[in-house]
Amino acid sequence: MTTTFTSTTYASRGMRHRQPRRSIVPFLAQLLIWTGAAGVLGLWWSDTTSVIGPAGWLTGAGRITGLLAGYACAVLLALMGRIPLLDHTVGTDRLARWHALGGRCTISLALAHTLLIIWGYSLTSHTNVVSQTSTLVLHYPDLLKGTAGFLLFLATGILSARAARRKMSYETWHYLHFATYLAVFLTFGHQLSNGADFVGNRLAQAAWYTLFLCVAALVAWYRFAVPLRRGLRHRLRVTGVYPEAPGVVSVHLSGEHLDELRAEPGQFLRWRFLTRGLWWTANPYSLSAPAHPGRLRITVKAAGGHSAALARLAPGTRVWAEGPYGGFTAHRRTAPKVLLLGGGVGITPLRTLFETLPGQVTLIYRARRAEDLALRGEIDAIAAHRRAAVHYIVDEPTGYSPPLTALGLTSLVPDLAAHDVYLCGPPGMTEAAIRALREAGVPGRRIHHESFAL
């Protein structure tokens, strides 16, 4: 089933397309990360006069991988420290992908460091690896704690693998990652007390302390102090919960000084509802209407215990909101024409962009059934007001739904290659849509997507 409104260019009420501010922060962030890694390698090089024999090569490689693993720990914490400058320019989902890739590299480096050092030391002392492992763990300063930290890292990495992640709730996965703070703390002392590049090198020690103290300060401020201050400042409360579609509800909230949040269409916040069973976790939900100085709204689909419980929220429930987060905003736009492509409850950030983006905007909304088209009445009203095109694509009773292909998309949007595309939906749909859009000629830099798999 497809419903289409007549499409015309919309530029009323002073809404004109402006060229976005192209941020160089993502490039600078990557440059800074790689520069730091080069500096770490420089530290090893400056402290190494020669490498002799297999034992020397193995020990040297162990030192390098250990230094890089320690540095990577600081980078990982900074990437997910919810620093606004990074979050709003790089984007939360992109930072999460960097973090996931960095996590795999960190665990690989830590594992390589452990094996190489044991092997290299065993060759130097002419002992077997079992005896050398026992000597290192039990008799070297802080290595027992370092071993515990390494095992925590390893366990977190295994449980974060995609196969294990699918069987785990968001809340469990989220709190599991707090173990990484403990792991970093346990391994930090070992690096300074045993690392050949730090022992007796006060400048290197000072640099390492500065790096980790700065990262710790950023994490403490943006992940703990700021949410606490805003929770007390904005005094958010639930004013009502209203059904939008089967299993989908909108939660309306009121508060004070909400204009200070500077929440933009397309962004999300992490919401902590201070009621039984929900107070202990903060889950990410997008705003489903433009922010107002006195009220906010989110629209949520029951996909787990936390999201399902929101349908039972009582008016007056206190709420703490962390954010706003994400770079899925008008600032990413590069072309006068925009296609918004959403699936399921992924419509929530797109609905706010549909209302507020200037210029020619087209919306394609996919759902399993017609009754699953949440917020359809609002979308129809917006489309009629701005004389924009909206296409609803749903399964018919036979279960047939047009596939996401380049041909299918260009039949709805003939000049698709000239559009920016904002994409939000389940991971399978997102992957299929990106392939179809690239095949249709849309450059990768014009495909902006928000992932549900953070």
Side-chain angles (χ1 to χ4, degrees):
M1 179 178 117
T2 303
T3 303
T4 307
F5 285 87
T6 302
S7 175
T8 60
T9 300
Y10 174 71
S12 64
R13 297 189 178 182
M15 295 178 67
R16 296 183 176 87
H17 171 63
R18 295 180 297 176
Q19 193 69 13
R21 302 191 300 270
R22 299 300 302 274
S23 175
I24 63 169
V25 173
F27 168 76
L28 291 178
Q30 294 182 70
L31 179 63
L32 181 62
I33 291 171
W34 289 110
T35 301
V40 168
L41 291 176
L43 174 62
W44 172 82
W45 182 267
S46 66
D47 285 340
T48 304
T49 55
S50 62
V51 179
I52 302 173
W57 284 104
L58 290 169
T59 304
R63 286 170 54 195
I64 291 172
T65 51
L67 286 169
L68 289 173
Y71 170 71
C73 287
V75 172
L76 290 180
L77 294 178
L79 287 178
M80 298 310 289
R82 299 177 187 170
I83 302 168
L85 178 62
L86 287 178
D87 197 273
H88 295 169
T89 54
V90 178
T92 305
D93 57 339
R94 191 177 176 190
L95 285 173
R97 291 193 294 274
W98 288 6
H99 177 82
L101 176 60
R104 291 190 290 271
C105 292
T106 302
I107 292 170
S108 299
L109 287 168
L111 182 59
H113 164 70
T114 302
L115 298 176
L116 290 166
I117 287 293
I118 292 173
W119 192 2
Y121 277 30
S122 68
L123 290 179
T124 301
S125 60
H126 305 288
T127 59
N128 62 65
V129 294
V130 175
S131 175
Q132 187 62 55
T133 301
S134 175
T135 300
L136 287 171
V137 172
L138 298 178
H139 299 291
Y140 276 59
D142 295 316
L143 249 178
L144 189 59
K145 292 192 298 183
T147 301
F150 167 68
L151 293 175
L152 268 178
F153 272 125
L154 197 59
T156 303
I158 292 171
L159 293 173
S160 296
R162 185 170 297 181
R165 173 71 183 89
R166 284 196 292 262
K167 301 176 182 179
M168 196 182 306
S169 69
Y170 170 84
E171 294 81 11
T172 302
W173 174 81
H174 175 75
Y175 279 97
L176 171 69
H177 275 61
F178 279 112
T180 58
Y181 294 133
L182 177 59
V184 171
F185 174 77
L186 290 172
T187 56
F188 181 77
H190 143 66
Q191 290 178 309
L192 294 176
S193 59
N194 294 293
D197 302 286
F198 295 106
V199 175
N201 189 338
R202 293 190 177 276
L203 182 61
Q205 291 177 9
W208 214 244
Y209 270 115
T210 300
L211 171 65
F212 277 87
L213 287 175
C214 286
V215 170
L218 289 171
V219 170
W221 178 252
Y222 287 114
R223 294 205 67 161
F224 299 100
V226 169
L228 176 62
R229 180 175 62 87
R230 286 182 172 174
L232 298 173
R233 170 73 170 165
H234 298 303
R235 304 181 65 82
L236 277 167
R237 293 183 182 274
V238 174
T239 58
V241 179
Y242 304 94
E244 300 287 0
V248 180
V249 297
S250 283
V251 181
H252 294 244
L253 308 106
S254 66
E256 302 174 3
H257 315 291
L258 299 182
D259 55 315
E260 295 175 6
L261 291 173
R262 298 181 181 178
E264 298 183 44
Q267 290 188 311
F268 69 93
L269 295 90
R270 287 182 168 88
W271 305 87
R272 188 182 302 274
F273 297 91
L274 305 185
T275 187
R276 183 178 179 181
L278 298 177
W279 63 268
W280 57 281
T281 185
N283 280 31
Y285 301 118
S286 297
L287 294 173
S288 61
H292 183 275
R295 61 182 182 270
L296 300 173
R297 188 187 74 178
I298 57 175
T299 301
V300 181
K301 180 178 180 179
H306 187 280
S307 53
L310 300 192
R312 302 187 295 273
L313 285 173
T317 299
R318 288 290 303 273
V319 184
W320 283 12
E322 304 172 28
Y325 298 118
F328 193 64
T329 66
H331 298 305
R332 288 191 178 183
R333 182 176 182 173
T334 62
K337 299 178 181 180
V338 174
L339 169 64
L340 307 175
L341 178 54
V345 78
I347 194 63
T348 53
L350 300 182
R351 179 255 180 259
T352 62
L353 291 169
F354 192 43
E355 180 177 347
T356 58
L357 278 176
Q360 182 176 328
V361 181
T362 302
L363 173 66
I364 298 177
Y365 183 9
R366 297 176 61 91
R368 182 171 300 177
R369 303 168 301 175
E371 54 266 35
D372 293 326
L373 293 167
L375 307 174
R376 181 172 180 175
E378 296 180 18
I379 293 169
D380 287 346
I382 294 168
H385 174 70
R386 62 183 299 167
R387 300 186 298 280
V390 55
H391 305 276
Y392 298 109
I393 302 176
V394 300
D395 286 351
E396 295 291 348
T398 59
Y400 171 76
S401 179
L404 270 175
T405 62
L407 181 61
L409 290 175
T410 52
S411 68
L412 297 174
V413 188
D415 56 344
L416 180 57
H419 285 64
D420 266 304
V421 181
Y422 286 76
L423 171 63
C424 189
M429 175 207 153
T430 300
E431 293 169 7
I434 291 174
R435 289 194 299 269
L437 291 167
R438 294 304 302 273
E439 186 180 342
V442 181
R445 67 181 183 277
R446 288 188 179 176
I447 302 173
H448 319 296
H449 62 96
E450 185 98 312
S451 173
F452 277 178
L454 296 180

